[in-house]
Amino acid sequence: MSPARSTSPGPETGTAPLVQVRNLSKDYHLGSFPFRSTVRAVNDVSFDINHGEIVALVGESGSGKSTIARILARLEQPTAGQLIIGGQDIFATERRGASMKYRSKVQMVFQDPFGSLNPAHRIEHFLTRPLQLHGENDSPKALKLKLRELMATVGLGEQMLDRYPHQLSGGQRQRVAIARALAVEPEIILADEPTSMLDVSVRIGILNLMRKLRDERGVSMLYITHDLASARYIADTTMVMCAGDLVEGGESIELMAAPHHPYTQLLLSAVPDARRTQTVRPPKRDAAARNTGRGTGERIALSASHWALKVPVPAA
Amino acid sequence: METLTEEDRANNGHTAAAPVLSVKNLQVQYTAESGNVTAVDDVSFDIGAGEVFGLAGESGCGKSTIANAVMRLLQTPAKITGGSIELAGRNLLDLGEEELRRTRWRDVAMVFQSAMNSLNPVMTIGDQIVDVFTTHERMPKKAARERAAELLKLVDISPDRLKSYPHQLSGGMRQRAVIAIALALKPSLLIMDEPTTALDVVVQQEIMHQIKELQQRLGFSILFITHDISLMVELSHRMAVMYAGKLVEVAPSKDMLENPLHPYTNALMGAFPPLSGPRVELTGLPDAPPNMAHHPTGCRFHPRCPLAIDECRTVPPPLLPKTANHDAACLLVPGYVLPRERSRR
């Protein structure tokens, strides 16, 4: 297979990106009255997700990447910004929170497959619920068929439907979580570190499943991770986040071959790589690398598919 | 078998004559309602002076159990049911409570999994380090404080931080403080059980670099446990891969990386997408972690092994040397000879 897909939209879709995020910001307020302070978790972030594209959002913990996923899932309200999905300005038209219609388009897979499945229910329950809530009143027989299909799609045997979450391994549970998201046939899946709690040996299986869903079903994904190598492996586009700012973005392979922003370089050099020949001294975390200092927010185009945030005057 | 490899290593000059830690035929069982679960089964390995020895494997394969066995920290339902653990020639399994108390931390110290949370939240970092000296060395408070300051400097933390509480430090700093506490009594062996799993990549790299530097400067040995093989190859001199309670391959890290012999090692090595070169499809392993209570017959890895042949279902492969210092337990390893046919030099 050729994983290096172009980011241009498929033939059956229009030219407009599926998801457009514009100038998204999120402030968290800390403390109470005399000691109030504000933390800007996401600062003026804009990006697109095309039809059938996997976009990776990488960064350290606390960089704001999960906050973006949670805002897109409508679990958090943004402080400012626009979210346009399929031409509809979501924050303006659905002020309160996610409608059923929205949820049938956007689904989320959480980091912890041990916490995201209710231990009191069988696997069948997790997949039947979304089918009943969002589907068109299927007969029990049709429902069974759909369940079977779903399980096959994520690579699980039918007999697993009768099991409880504790009887499944971490990887199997994460597959159930993905099947649950798929049940409503969403256009986009938000995957928040779906492999970080899993054993290394089964991580690849989940990543391959995500790739398969993109290639075969054309599902778009926002893949949140701190693992740059896995982002390079499955994502068409990678975006790097640092302290609330999107500092660099581009075609994954291109970006990681020639990282421009000092923070991207720092992240890349920190990835353990057994095949690295010389030992790399960890770069000192100076202000330039760590805090982009909220520069002008100006983007430099490095190529047609690669841009970086202009770095504020480096500390001399 | 272990004597053979030891002899080989001595011939190679690979490790110094006497190993710091020598684990022989170790067996650990957990008692469960459904019967005994053998978490560590006939595991033998040596760690030489100043050697960093890595132990890799999936969760539940028994690697942390080995660490806890060496520290003699296992509690019911876990029980060491066989073998020996010799630290500088003394069998730790023969020691009484009092002797153990003196051995722990002075001769062998441990950095626990998620160690940053193992600090006492209501004591300052300084008090926790001073504690080590006053308890184990009966050092006066003042001298202990001075030593504590030196220790913090050793791990690049300003001595002002002695007065800080754990919550005032970042995750990386806490982890370094824990390493400082572990090194306080200059142990000859440091056990590190997934020391960086809870940390970000950048912090992880800083910590790993620091550990490497300290190890080279102070010359202690390390038993390093992780499931991240890339990390392990970067740090350790020699490593072992463990599967379902058994060692399946032992080799110098470079050898293991360049020429893995066991299909399981191969799978682990292939589980990391590369950061350069073309995008190639990786396969990983089928999602069926071993059931420790009911091991399959023959090779324990055969249900997940892409190369398994009929014999694998019935013949349990022993861990045997392939070359002088590269052991593997697989029937399919090229040049693998069954024990009775083996004629070594």
Side-chain angles (χ1 to χ4, degrees), chain A residues 1 61 169 171-172 199-202 204 208 211 229 232-233 235 251 253 269-270 272-274 276 281-282 285, chain B residues 58-59 200-206 209 213 227 234 257 271-277 279-283 285 287:
Chain A
M1 68 188 296
S61 34
S169 74
Q172 288 167 337
D199 253 311
V200 272
S201 53
V202 299
I204 284 293
N208 283 344
R211 253 166 52 159
R232 187 181 185 274
Y233 182 63
E251 198 281 318
I253 290 186
S269 70
D273 185 358
R276 190 152 40 205
R281 262 199 87 85
R285 298 162 159 252
Chain B
E58 283 169 285
S59 26
D200 267 308
V201 270
V202 181
V203 185
Q204 166 173 296
Q205 194 203 17
E206 285 170 2
H209 191 81
E213 230 173 51
H227 64 255
E234 272 196 4
L257 173 73
F272 291 91
L275 267 178
S276 54
R279 249 187 267 206
V280 280
E281 169 115 40
L282 303 173
T283 44
L285 274 174
D287 195 359

Side-chain angles (χ1 to χ4, degrees), chain A residues 4-25:
Chain A
R5 291 158 45 102
S6 75
T7 51
S8 63
E12 75 284 350
T13 57
T15 40
L18 172 66
V19 178
Q20 289 170 284
V21 174
R22 292 290 172 268
N23 309 103
L24 189 71
S25 293

Side-chain angles (χ1 to χ4, degrees), chain B residues 205-223:
Chain B
Q205 194 203 17
E206 285 170 2
I207 300 275
M208 293 311 287
H209 191 81
Q210 185 125 52
I211 294 172
K212 214 186 246 176
E213 230 173 51
L214 287 172
Q215 192 274 331
Q216 278 163 7
R217 185 137 51 106
L218 305 175
F220 51 88
S221 308
I222 300 181
L223 171 58

Side-chain angles (χ1 to χ4, degrees), chain A residues 29-51:
Chain A
H29 300 286
L30 303 177
S32 53
F33 166 58
F35 307 107
R36 286 196 77 146
S37 63
T38 306
V39 173
R40 175 144 281 209
V42 175
N43 182 41
D44 195 19
V45 163
S46 302
F47 62 90
D48 292 343
I49 302 173
N50 289 312
H51 292 271

